[in-house]
PDB file of all heavy atoms in Angstrom:
ATOM      1  N   ILE A 118     -36.911  24.568   4.313  1.00 95.00           N
ATOM      2  CA  ILE A 118     -37.278  23.156   4.110  1.00 95.00           C
ATOM      3  C   ILE A 118     -36.137  22.212   4.501  1.00 95.00           C
ATOM      4  O   ILE A 118     -36.214  21.013   4.248  1.00 95.00           O
ATOM      5  CB  ILE A 118     -37.700  22.895   2.652  1.00 95.00           C
ATOM      6  CG1 ILE A 118     -36.560  23.197   1.677  1.00 95.00           C
ATOM      7  CG2 ILE A 118     -38.958  23.652   2.305  1.00 95.00           C
ATOM      8  CD1 ILE A 118     -36.816  22.710   0.273  1.00 95.00           C
ATOM      9  N   ILE A 119     -35.132  22.738   5.170  1.00 97.00           N
ATOM     10  CA  ILE A 119     -33.965  21.913   5.523  1.00 97.00           C
ATOM     11  C   ILE A 119     -34.338  20.800   6.491  1.00 97.00           C
ATOM     12  O   ILE A 119     -33.983  19.634   6.284  1.00 97.00           O
ATOM     13  CB  ILE A 119     -32.838  22.797   6.104  1.00 97.00           C
ATOM     14  CG1 ILE A 119     -32.301  23.715   5.010  1.00 97.00           C
ATOM     15  CG2 ILE A 119     -31.724  21.948   6.703  1.00 97.00           C
ATOM     16  CD1 ILE A 119     -31.302  24.738   5.488  1.00 97.00           C
ATOM     17  N   LEU A 120     -35.074  21.116   7.559  1.00 97.00           N
ATOM     18  CA  LEU A 120     -35.425  20.102   8.548  1.00 97.00           C
ATOM     19  C   LEU A 120     -36.282  18.983   7.953  1.00 97.00           C
ATOM     20  O   LEU A 120     -35.990  17.795   8.177  1.00 97.00           O
ATOM     21  CB  LEU A 120     -36.126  20.755   9.750  1.00 97.00           C
ATOM     22  CG  LEU A 120     -36.318  19.861  10.975  1.00 97.00           C
ATOM     23  CD1 LEU A 120     -34.971  19.333  11.472  1.00 97.00           C
ATOM     24  CD2 LEU A 120     -37.010  20.642  12.082  1.00 97.00           C
ATOM     25  N   PRO A 121     -37.334  19.277   7.173  1.00 96.00           N
ATOM     26  CA  PRO A 121     -38.100  18.165   6.576  1.00 96.00           C
ATOM     27  C   PRO A 121     -37.273  17.331   5.591  1.00 96.00           C
ATOM     28  O   PRO A 121     -37.442  16.110   5.521  1.00 96.00           O
ATOM     29  CB  PRO A 121     -39.254  18.847   5.851  1.00 96.00           C
ATOM     30  CG  PRO A 121     -39.285  20.255   6.295  1.00 96.00           C
ATOM     31  CD  PRO A 121     -37.993  20.556   6.944  1.00 96.00           C
ATOM     32  N   ILE A 122     -36.388  17.970   4.846  1.00 97.00           N
ATOM     33  CA  ILE A 122     -35.533  17.220   3.914  1.00 97.00           C
ATOM     34  C   ILE A 122     -34.584  16.310   4.685  1.00 97.00           C
ATOM     35  O   ILE A 122     -34.378  15.148   4.299  1.00 97.00           O
ATOM     36  CB  ILE A 122     -34.766  18.182   2.979  1.00 97.00           C
ATOM     37  CG1 ILE A 122     -35.724  18.974   2.105  1.00 97.00           C
ATOM     38  CG2 ILE A 122     -33.733  17.434   2.157  1.00 97.00           C
ATOM     39  CD1 ILE A 122     -36.532  18.136   1.140  1.00 97.00           C
ATOM     40  N   ILE A 123     -34.042  16.806   5.783  1.00 97.00           N
ATOM     41  CA  ILE A 123     -33.168  15.973   6.626  1.00 97.00           C
ATOM     42  C   ILE A 123     -33.961  14.782   7.173  1.00 97.00           C
ATOM     43  O   ILE A 123     -33.478  13.648   7.200  1.00 97.00           O
ATOM     44  CB  ILE A 123     -32.540  16.804   7.767  1.00 97.00           C
ATOM     45  CG1 ILE A 123     -31.508  17.776   7.198  1.00 97.00           C
ATOM     46  CG2 ILE A 123     -31.910  15.907   8.822  1.00 97.00           C
ATOM     47  CD1 ILE A 123     -30.968  18.766   8.198  1.00 97.00           C
ATOM     48  N   MET A 124     -35.215  15.051   7.599  1.00 97.00           N
ATOM     49  CA  MET A 124     -36.062  13.973   8.111  1.00 97.00           C
ATOM     50  C   MET A 124     -36.315  12.926   7.027  1.00 97.00           C
ATOM     51  O   MET A 124     -36.221  11.716   7.283  1.00 97.00           O
ATOM     52  CB  MET A 124     -37.393  14.544   8.609  1.00 97.00           C
ATOM     53  CG  MET A 124     -38.334  13.515   9.162  1.00 97.00           C
ATOM     54  SD  MET A 124     -39.827  14.321   9.743  1.00 97.00           S
ATOM     55  CE  MET A 124     -41.040  13.175   9.149  1.00 97.00           C
ATOM     56  N   MET A 125     -36.625  13.356   5.819  1.00 97.00           N
ATOM     57  CA  MET A 125     -36.873  12.418   4.722  1.00 97.00           C
ATOM     58  C   MET A 125     -35.623  11.613   4.398  1.00 97.00           C
ATOM     59  O   MET A 125     -35.695  10.395   4.189  1.00 97.00           O
ATOM     60  CB  MET A 125     -37.356  13.173   3.483  1.00 97.00           C
ATOM     61  CG  MET A 125     -38.750  13.756   3.625  1.00 97.00           C
ATOM     62  SD  MET A 125     -39.213  14.814   2.251  1.00 97.00           S
ATOM     63  CE  MET A 125     -39.284  13.626   0.921  1.00 97.00           C
TER      64      MET A 125
END
Side-chain angles (χ1 to χ4, degrees):
I118 61 169
I119 293 173
L120 191 58
I122 297 296
I123 290 172
M124 180 179 138
M125 290 173 66

